[in-house]
Amino acid sequence: MIEVRPGGRRRIDRVLAPDYVQKLDQLDLAEVRSRRDDAAQEETDLSYLRRLLHGRIDIVKAEQKRRSEGGSSSVVERLVEILADNVVGPAPSGSGRHQALEPSRAEAHRRHVEALVSDADLSDVASLPDERLDLALRTYAAEEESVSLRRREVQKVVDALNDEIGARYRAGSASVDTLLAAERGDDDKA
């Protein structure tokens, strides 16, 4: 389960701290953007972790289905099909967002997912007893639920920060020209 630790040093602890989006109107635009960028990176990392969990869930469900239907083809033989099934089609309304960033902790997320069911070797799901498959599915599903909850919370933070930035542009207290000049390092226009 993904826990948020008040006063913690991890990015998720900072992004989901209640004061992260309080008094945004008192912060300079660069700080609001910096917070938005941190929150967006956390959203990307949680999305990546969620995709890893979905893959594991799909593998376990495919093996359970194969067993219940008496199928003869192994999960390994059907891996591309299994993992592609949930990639096609739109995400549920409101949950999918374009991710322009790359996950910053991909290896750590992979290790986290592997450690969830450390004694269930998913490289050979056909050899696992039904009880171990059931446990793996329940464990992965519970973690996916936790990750999804945190991701939705982080999305609300990103939205609040984007709303503040948008409000500043609408009010005229921020301008595209100033942003572009700052990105170019053009101090006399910033």
Side-chain angles (χ1 to χ4, degrees), residues 118-131:
S118 58
D119 60 338
D121 184 6
L122 288 184
S123 64
D124 188 13
V125 290
S127 68
L128 295 176
D130 291 342
E131 312 81 55

Side-chain angles (χ1 to χ4, degrees), residues 15 21 41 50 83 115 157 169:
V15 167
V21 292
Q41 185 63 61
R50 203 167 152 258
L83 296 178
V157 170
Y169 278 100

Side-chain angles (χ1 to χ4, degrees), residues 148-159:
S148 291
L149 171 68
R150 294 300 183 208
R151 181 173 165 255
R152 285 189 299 274
E153 291 171 350
V154 169
Q155 286 175 334
K156 288 179 184 177
V157 170
V158 172
D159 290 344

Side-chain angles (χ1 to χ4, degrees), residues 11-183:
R11 183 176 49 228
I12 195 165
D13 299 328
R14 292 189 314 271
V15 167
L16 292 180
D19 63 344
Y20 198 76
V21 292
Q22 291 177 350
K23 301 179 182 175
L24 292 175
D25 59 335
Q26 297 175 14
L27 299 175
D28 67 29
L29 185 58
E31 177 61 23
V32 176
R33 281 193 179 115
S34 175
R35 289 184 183 197
R36 189 260 329 264
D37 293 346
D38 277 351
Q41 185 63 61
E42 189 61 36
E43 180 185 357
T44 297
D45 285 356
L46 290 170
S47 294
Y48 179 76
L49 177 55
R50 203 167 152 258
R51 287 192 307 272
L52 287 175
L53 289 162
H54 284 177
R56 301 296 169 100
I57 289 168
D58 291 344
I59 290 168
V60 171
K61 284 181 175 180
E63 176 58 19
Q64 289 175 326
K65 182 178 179 183
R66 185 195 68 77
R67 289 179 187 186
S68 71
E69 295 176 355
S72 60
S73 63
S74 74
V75 169
V76 173
E77 292 169 356
R78 297 182 39 241
L79 194 56
V80 172
E81 172 192 336
I82 292 165
L83 296 178
D85 278 348
N86 288 329
V87 174
V88 180
S93 179
S95 68
R97 295 186 192 230
H98 171 70
Q99 299 291 325
L101 303 171
E102 291 292 323
S104 65
R105 300 183 312 264
E107 183 63 21
H109 291 315
R110 186 191 56 73
R111 285 191 312 270
H112 171 75
V113 170
E114 288 174 354
L116 287 173
V117 188
S118 58
D119 60 338
D121 184 6
L122 288 184
S123 64
D124 188 13
V125 290
S127 68
L128 295 176
D130 291 342
E131 312 81 55
R132 297 256 307 272
L133 277 179
D134 289 340
L135 173 62
L137 183 59
R138 286 192 313 272
T139 302
Y140 290 142
E143 186 67 10
E144 191 280 334
E145 187 176 326
S146 171
V147 170
S148 291
L149 171 68
R150 294 300 183 208
R151 181 173 165 255
R152 285 189 299 274
E153 291 171 350
V154 169
Q155 286 175 334
K156 288 179 184 177
V157 170
V158 172
D159 290 344
L161 293 160
N162 279 331
D163 288 348
E164 175 63 24
I165 292 167
R168 291 185 187 197
Y169 278 100
R170 284 188 299 280
S173 61
S175 76
V176 174
D177 292 337
T178 303
L179 172 64
L180 293 174
E183 286 182 0

